[in-house]
Amino acid sequence: MRILTFLMLAFASINFSAQAANPQVAVKTNYGDFTLELYPEQAPKTVGNFLSYVEDGSYVGTQFHRLIPNFVIQGGGFDVNMQARAHQIPVPNESQNGLSNERGTIAMARTADPDSATRQFYINLANNSNLDPQGYRPGYTVFGKVITGFSNIEKMAKVPTTNLGRMQNVPMQPIIITDIQLIQP
C-alpha cells in the first residue's frame, strides 16, 4: 500500500510540473539582453501576434525608437534607418484582461484606434495605470513582463534622445534588437 501511495504521489507531482508554462522570449540588443514571459491565457491574440514577428525574424534589426525616462521604451516598428517595417493586420484590443501597465510589463503600442496594434510594443519603466482601460475607454494591451535583464532596459532609458522630423524621444545612439528567440522555460 505504501508503494502505491508513493507512486500516486510521484505521478501527481509529475503531472503538476508538466503543465504548460508561459512562453518566454530572449531578446538580445546592443545595450544588453533581457527575457520576457508572455501571458497567452490573458491576451491570446496579442501573444500570437507578437510571436509571429519573433518567429519570422522581422524584429531583428529593429530599434527602440522612443525612450521616455520614467515612462516607457518603445520599439519593434522601425529599422536602424527609421524606416517602418512591414506589418500584419492589426490585432484586436485585449486590454480588458486583468493585467495592468505596471513597471516591467510589455504592452502593444497603438494609435487612437483601440484595434490598431500591429508590431510595435513598449516596456513600462514605471507603473502607468493611466494606460489601463478606464470604464468604457479601452487601454493598451499588456501581454507579458520582463523576468530577467530589467537593468538593461533601465540602461537603455538613459540614452540621450533627440527629435527626428515628427518623431520625438529618438535615441541619439540606436538601440538595436540583434536577436530575439522563443525559448523553453
Side-chain angles (χ1 to χ4, degrees):
M1 187 65 167
R2 284 185 178 175
I3 293 174
L4 181 59
T5 303
F6 172 78
L7 289 173
M8 289 174 65
L9 289 172
F11 181 73
S13 68
I14 289 171
N15 273 347
F16 178 77
S17 63
Q19 290 180 1
N22 288 329
Q24 295 181 3
V25 174
V27 183
K28 295 183 181 199
T29 79
N30 59 330
Y31 274 77
D33 307 340
F34 59 93
T35 304
L36 302 167
E37 179 181 35
L38 307 180
Y39 301 130
E41 188 173 314
Q42 289 88 348
K45 293 175 182 170
T46 304
V47 168
N49 176 68
F50 180 80
L51 287 176
S52 71
Y53 293 112
V54 169
E55 291 169 2
D56 75 10
S58 67
Y59 277 138
V60 174
T62 61
Q63 69 171 299
F64 285 91
H65 66 277
R66 184 176 180 222
L67 309 177
I68 305 175
N70 300 311
F71 184 50
V72 301
I73 66 168
Q74 184 174 329
F78 296 94
D79 68 17
V80 70
N81 298 313
M82 292 301 287
Q83 298 298 309
R85 287 277 178 101
H87 59 82
Q88 302 166 16
I89 61 170
V91 64
N93 188 291
E94 296 178 302
S95 65
Q96 299 274 357
N97 62 16
L99 300 175
S100 179
N101 280 274
E102 296 174 348
R103 177 177 164 84
T105 58
I106 182 171
M108 291 305 292
R110 62 171 174 80
T111 66
D113 176 355
D115 298 320
S116 63
T118 57
R119 64 178 297 130
Q120 289 188 42
F121 59 88
Y122 64 88
I123 297 171
N124 286 291
L125 298 169
N127 292 331
N128 295 313
S129 60
N130 58 312
L131 301 176
D132 293 342
Q134 306 290 326
Y136 291 105
R137 187 200 77 184
Y140 293 78
T141 303
V142 174
F143 64 98
K145 71 177 179 181
V146 178
I147 57 172
T148 66
F150 192 74
S151 61
N152 291 325
I153 303 291
E154 292 174 313
K155 184 169 61 171
M156 293 174 200
K158 293 178 182 172
V159 172
T161 62
T162 187
N163 295 338
L164 223 106
R166 294 184 298 153
M167 304 279 290
Q168 297 177 335
N169 309 108
V170 178
M172 293 174 77
Q173 296 179 345
I175 301 170
I176 307 299
I177 295 175
T178 58
D179 191 45
I180 186 166
Q181 300 286 328
L182 181 64
I183 58 173
Q184 297 301 319

